[in-house]
Amino acid sequence: MRPRALVLAPMRGPAWARLRELADVIYEPVPARRPFRTQPAKELAARLAAEHARILITEADEVNGPVLDLPLMVIGCTRPEPVNVDVAAATARGIPVLCAPGRDADGIAELTLALLLAVSRRLLVADRDARTGRAHEERERHRSWELAGRTFGIVGSGPSVRAVTWRVKGLGMRVIAHGPDSPKGRHGLDRLLAEADVVSVHGAGGGLADTGSGTIMGAAEFAAMKPGSIFINTGRADLHDMDALTGALKAGHLGGAALDHAPKEPDHPLAGMDNVLLTPRIGDATYDTEVNHTRMICGDIVRLLGGEPPLHCVNPEVLRA
């Protein structure tokens, strides 16, 4: 019998068409849910049981407890890491868990570059002045340093770091890095903060010290940055202390900041600063990201259905049992 698949993440590309040839698919991608919400495990389990689905593809829904009590063949999480899946419990039940490492690396790298250019050249303020007829009278305040010859400091690890590195070098910037993936002779964090004209945070990993609760950048770290430097975070919001960043910007110690996550409070002080750019978690919001995770997740499910080992399984030991 053809297996049934419940697919709750957006899919596109040839691998998606191939999966639909091999399985009966119930397709309800996240963007179709209004308002957006993730499904709790109990609700997801009930839906899987009602559909008699043995294949699950999801991005952020809760996959634990009752979901894993079902006779699932495979779970595909379209994130780079399956943080919403209880992998240990899935492994204990012999269920392979797939993920999509690096699916959004280029999207995040391109956004990092866009944020860097927008903040360093004050593009949003310049656009506002041009639209309100103040372009000539306010021109002097838009003067800035060029990026070529400056130092770009990367804190973190993963595919997005590598994708950012060659792009920033293309601007003529010197790149230094601190993280477990950095080459030998990597910079210590203190040295990086003292040298970098731009500090870009891309996620924590093994070997990165933090100031508590997963935070890498706190008050001491912002104080250690060069006066007038720029801070960018396209990783998680909790990688920096928001109050400490706000204080460093208010004091004029930092020249600007760009965050791919707006503060939860709509009237937060950062929202009123001309040298701050905020975007609503759009680093992975590209059609190419969807093509990439479809290729990895659907491609691996097709391999499993054909008796071949998947390429992106986080618990391959279940395949050897």
Side-chain angles (χ1 to χ4, degrees):
M1 291 181 60
R2 286 162 57 91
R4 291 177 64 81
L6 178 61
V7 180
L8 304 175
M11 297 281 138
R12 63 178 66 238
W16 174 229
R18 180 59 179 149
L19 178 62
R20 300 188 79 157
E21 291 175 358
L22 299 176
D24 295 327
V25 173
I26 303 98
Y27 184 45
E28 295 181 3
V30 168
R33 302 184 208 165
R34 303 293 183 198
F36 167 77
R37 71 180 186 89
T38 58
Q39 293 191 64
K42 185 176 181 180
E43 181 179 313
L44 180 56
R47 183 67 197 285
L48 284 162
E51 298 289 355
H52 303 289
R54 298 193 62 201
I55 297 171
L56 171 64
I57 301 178
T58 179
E59 180 163 353
D61 300 290
E62 294 181 7
V63 183
N64 54 46
V67 174
L68 300 175
D69 290 335
L70 298 171
L72 296 177
M73 296 172 54
V74 60
I75 297 166
C77 175
T78 58
R79 292 182 172 190
E81 297 179 6
V83 294
N84 56 312
V85 180
D86 186 340
V87 176
T91 302
R93 290 163 173 78
I95 305 170
V97 178
L98 312 174
C99 64
R103 67 162 186 164
D104 52 4
D106 287 323
I108 290 173
E110 289 184 3
L111 179 66
T112 300
L113 208 63
L115 295 175
L116 170 62
L117 292 167
V119 172
S120 66
R121 296 304 297 267
R122 295 169 56 85
L123 295 185
L124 293 186
V125 179
D127 177 81
R128 186 180 66 213
D129 284 354
R131 292 172 187 270
T132 56
R134 301 170 61 191
H136 298 292
E137 62 185 81
E138 300 289 353
R139 188 173 185 273
E140 183 62 29
R141 70 173 178 155
H142 298 301
R143 204 174 299 279
S144 62
W145 293 104
E146 295 175 3
L147 294 172
R150 305 286 165 180
T151 299
F152 189 92
I154 300 177
V155 180
S157 61
S160 68
V161 168
R162 296 185 287 275
V164 166
T165 297
W166 67 262
R167 288 172 169 85
V168 172
K169 286 182 177 179
L171 295 176
M173 300 188 76
R174 167 185 175 235
V175 177
I176 57 178
H178 172 72
D181 296 338
S182 301
K184 292 181 179 179
R186 71 180 185 186
H187 277 57
L189 182 58
D190 291 343
R191 182 181 168 196
L192 180 146
L193 296 176
E195 292 185 21
D197 299 290
V198 179
V199 173
S200 183
V201 177
H202 288 266
L208 280 178
D210 61 53
T211 60
S213 303
T215 302
I216 297 172
M217 298 292 296
E221 287 70 32
F222 287 122
M225 288 176 62
K226 292 174 66 173
S229 57
I230 293 171
F231 176 72
I232 300 174
N233 185 355
T234 53
R236 303 192 317 272
D238 64 355
L239 294 176
H240 71 264
D241 184 305
M242 194 71 78
D243 291 337
L245 173 60
T246 303
L249 288 162
K250 278 186 173 181
H253 177 65
L254 297 185
L259 314 174
D260 188 27
H261 40 260
K264 295 180 180 179
E265 309 86 350
D267 57 349
H268 193 279
L270 290 181
M273 295 184 182
D274 282 345
N275 59 343
V276 174
L277 182 59
L278 305 171
T279 53
R281 297 294 303 170
I282 62 173
D284 63 352
T286 71
Y287 297 119
D288 301 271
T289 292
E290 295 175 3
V291 171
N292 292 338
H293 72 221
T294 301
R295 182 183 66 253
M296 288 183 270
I297 298 298
C298 291
D300 271 353
I301 293 174
V302 169
R303 290 184 185 92
L304 280 170
L305 293 176
E308 300 178 32
L311 304 179
H312 308 98
C313 184
V314 299
N315 56 348
E317 60 270 28
V318 305
L319 303 172
R320 298 188 290 267

